[in-house]
Amino acid sequence: MRNRSRPPLSPEAAALLSFTRSSLSRRTLMRGAFAAGSLAVTGGALAACGTKGAQQTEASCVSDDSSATDKTLIVSNWPQYIDVDEKDESKRPTLVAFEAKTGISVSYTEDINDNNEFFGKVQNQLTACQPTDRDVIVLTDWMTARMIRLGWMQKLDTAKMPNFTKNLLPSLKGRPFDKNNEYAVPWQSGLAGLAFNGKVTKPVRTVDELLTRPDLKGKVTALTEMRDTMGLILASNGHDPSDFTKAQFDDAINKLQKAVDAGQIRRFTGNDYAPELAKGDIAACIGWSGDIIQLGLEDPKVEFVAPDAGVMLYSDNSSVPNKAAHKANAEQFLDYYYDPTVAAQVAAYVNYICPVSGAKEAMEKIDPDLAANPLIFPDDALLKKAKVFKALTEAEEREYESAFQKVIGA
């Protein structure tokens, strides 16, 4: 979710996670940010977002749009999150095509490496209703939800975005933090579920197996990302991660505490679970689909499992911050990437879940094997299991993160 300020992968880990383009997973980089900064979520960054005067409204912070006379656009995104020309990695083919089609000149910068870090970069400007010098920013669900809650994002005119309104995956419509799909446009998505190494254990199909099976004792890791670990446990208890009570959260945290006390869980990790799983140092874990796709390419014995009780769906979302001066240009840009053919070109490079309906059919013409991969193009059965974590109030975020950090020993 992206969050996250863990250190980057070691050379050994990077080798184990190597993909066809010899680059780190974008989700790995993003997820790698949380451990060192986890307490900041419940402390500095979270507290700062609730300071007096931070809240804005459409009336209190009015943004002017100069798109009609200024055909430019400034985009901030995560690294390795758009297609590149394999012969010249400074070129991004879909972006070049967009500029040629629209006449809009795009300054595309890969300057988001951590949700909290980026929040710190723009917090003072957005609190004061000042420009961030960015027209589009891409942040993970929970951070997008926080900034929408603070009134820091501009409402999009989706009537001017026919591809988006037509092609957004049904599973990503009406999310708790953006029920009318008017602030956050999913750029890419992924799943948090279970994974196991079939060389060292029999299959692990449920969260209860992961947390209680005797043969797995001390050979399990779970994620330091509260929304993913707790979302899966909530679902395993028969509760909806997108709509739960405090009592239900407490039941789930107690379940996790029992597993910790019993020595079932070796430790809580960021992306560093991946090389351990690949080597068989751990047998099973809670993990992310993007990592497991890459490990599975190296060793098909490493498998991702979507428990029947539910799997967590996360997205990185494109939004237009207050005082961005090119909202209409941004709407054209985002709608362009919801053309299924364009979306398939991006998905062929980044290998995360494509949020665009129709892109799978377009992908079949590019790479039939990728089109058949359910972790890039989930089928209806998998999507029906997918849950988005509840949008938390500031007080809930502080309380639930604090309880989780206590259990995991952060």
Side-chain angles (χ1 to χ4, degrees), residues 111-131:
D111 64 342
I112 302 178
N113 293 296
D114 174 273
N115 282 289
N116 278 326
E117 178 185 60
F118 188 79
F119 182 90
K121 286 182 181 179
V122 300
Q123 174 185 350
N124 290 341
Q125 296 97 310
L126 291 172
T127 295
C129 185
Q130 295 176 351

Side-chain angles (χ1 to χ4, degrees), residues 42-91:
T42 55
L46 180 56
C49 82
T51 55
K52 185 177 180 181
Q55 189 78 37
Q56 295 289 349
T57 66
E58 286 187 77
S60 69
C61 189
V62 178
S63 302
D64 297 320
D65 191 353
S66 60
S67 295
T69 57
D70 186 7
K71 294 297 183 181
T72 62
L73 187 70
I74 302 172
V75 178
S76 283
N77 207 342
W78 300 81
Q80 307 291 337
Y81 226 18
I82 194 171
D83 56 310
V84 301
D85 187 324
E86 293 186 359
K87 295 181 179 178
D88 182 354
E89 293 193 359
S90 68
K91 294 182 179 179

